[in-house]
Amino acid sequence: MQLHTSRLIRSPWLGGCAAALAVVLWALVPLLVSAAGELPPLRLSALALLAGALGTLPMAHGRQRRGATLSKGHGVLVHVGVALLVAGAVGACFASFSLAPPAEAALITYTWPVLFLLASRWLVQGRLTLATLGGALLAFSGAALLVAPQALTGGLSGAWSGYLLALVAALCWALYSLACQVPGWRLGERMPHLLLTASVMTGVASLLLEGVSELPSPQALLATAALGLGPYGIAMLAWDRALGDPQAARLGNLAHAVPVLATLFLVLAGVTAPDWRLPVAAVLVLAGSMTASR
């Protein structure tokens, strides 16, 4: 698989701003999932992805260009394979939080930026430098600092199915980010269809595994709509735009800030008490990102 490295973005700041927007929106996921907590994870995934598909339709339509037709083989990979990655990433992530302690599941899920960075550098350059490896580990340590103490003090809970689903979510996100860089696929233009297909996939899985439940409350529906329009709508388009930047591997380091910002938002919302680890983790993430991007 080739990565897209020649397509330039008009403004040198556009890629970084798009990546930063996606990171901030993804960091809101814990708050929004908590607000929609009464919904089963797969049903929440299906509704959120449906909201994302509807919300991204006008934005993606404005980015359509001629010559975007895919061959039969690539069409199957994009419309089925990539949609399955999205469904797996969102559904497995939500399900892991319900089957395993959230802190432990989040620690595993947030390994996806490290996986993406390492895979991207390897595919583009054919090697991994010590700066890349050291910076990735340093940035990841900042995220781990926020969640590892809870996991260590609580011990292994035995929720291995939740841990496995969190790992599946991490792998799906890393592979999706790589797919965004394949020349000619133009996932941003196809985002509404991909999200709609992923919504159908998770919806069918919800009916088979979770059954039929009562209609959610207006608060849960509002949180679900915000979850779909933001983290799994606008953020997906922003991340696709960011990964079209020639410095995509460097911008991928920004994703390490997701767990740090997520904790900050929880503190500001009064859900989590302030902790000294937050500023330390922020410094580690920043230092690791700068080191890995050298």
Side-chain angles (χ1 to χ4, degrees):
M1 180 175 64
Q2 280 187 316
L3 298 185
H4 183 51
T5 57
S6 60
R7 179 164 55 93
L8 297 178
I9 293 180
R10 294 179 181 179
S11 171
W13 296 97
L14 186 56
C17 291
L21 175 61
V23 166
V24 171
L25 290 175
W26 283 334
L28 291 172
V29 169
L31 281 178
L32 295 175
V33 171
S34 176
E38 67 181 69
L39 285 171
L42 290 177
R43 186 148 304 135
L44 175 61
S45 303
L47 294 177
L49 290 170
L50 177 60
L54 296 176
T56 57
L57 184 60
M59 291 178 286
H61 179 73
R63 297 175 56 185
Q64 289 182 352
R65 294 172 292 176
R66 294 182 179 180
T69 303
L70 296 172
S71 64
K72 184 177 181 180
H74 283 189
V76 173
L77 285 176
V78 171
H79 295 293
V80 178
V82 177
L84 187 60
L85 288 178
V86 175
V90 179
C93 178
F94 291 173
S96 69
F97 284 110
S98 64
L99 296 174
E104 299 175 25
L107 177 60
I108 299 174
T109 301
Y110 290 145
T111 60
W112 77 261
V114 178
L115 298 175
F116 164 70
L117 175 65
L118 297 179
S120 178
R121 287 288 175 87
W122 178 264
L123 290 173
V124 173
Q125 301 178 359
R127 62 187 179 89
L128 295 176
T129 64
L130 290 178
T132 300
L133 292 172
L137 291 175
L138 185 61
F140 180 76
S141 68
L145 180 64
L146 297 175
V147 295
Q150 295 93 326
L152 293 176
T153 56
L156 295 178
S157 62
W160 297 111
S161 58
Y163 302 144
L164 180 60
L165 286 172
L167 179 60
V168 170
L171 291 173
C172 287
W173 279 127
L175 290 174
Y176 170 81
S177 296
L178 289 175
C180 287
Q181 296 182 280
V182 177
W185 282 13
R186 300 177 182 176
L187 299 187
E189 301 173 15
R190 312 178 200 280
M191 191 59 62
H193 301 89
L194 295 176
L195 294 177
L196 182 60
T197 303
S199 175
V200 172
M201 291 177 177
T202 53
V204 171
S206 174
L207 291 175
L208 294 176
L209 300 176
E210 297 172 342
V212 180
S213 61
E214 298 180 356
L215 292 177
S217 65
Q219 178 183 353
L221 287 177
L222 182 61
T224 302
L227 188 64
L229 293 175
Y232 301 115
I234 297 175
M236 300 284 275
L237 288 177
W239 190 245
D240 172 75
R241 175 62 64 90
L243 293 182
D245 192 278
Q247 301 297 325
R250 177 180 299 180
L251 294 176
N253 287 308
L254 292 175
H256 292 291
V258 172
V260 178
L261 290 177
T263 303
L264 176 61
F265 292 153
L266 291 173
V267 170
L268 294 177
V271 178
T272 302
D275 196 320
W276 62 267
R277 291 172 296 167
L278 180 60
V280 175
V283 172
L284 289 174
V285 169
L286 179 60
S289 298
M290 293 177 64
T291 302
S293 62
R294 291 177 58 184

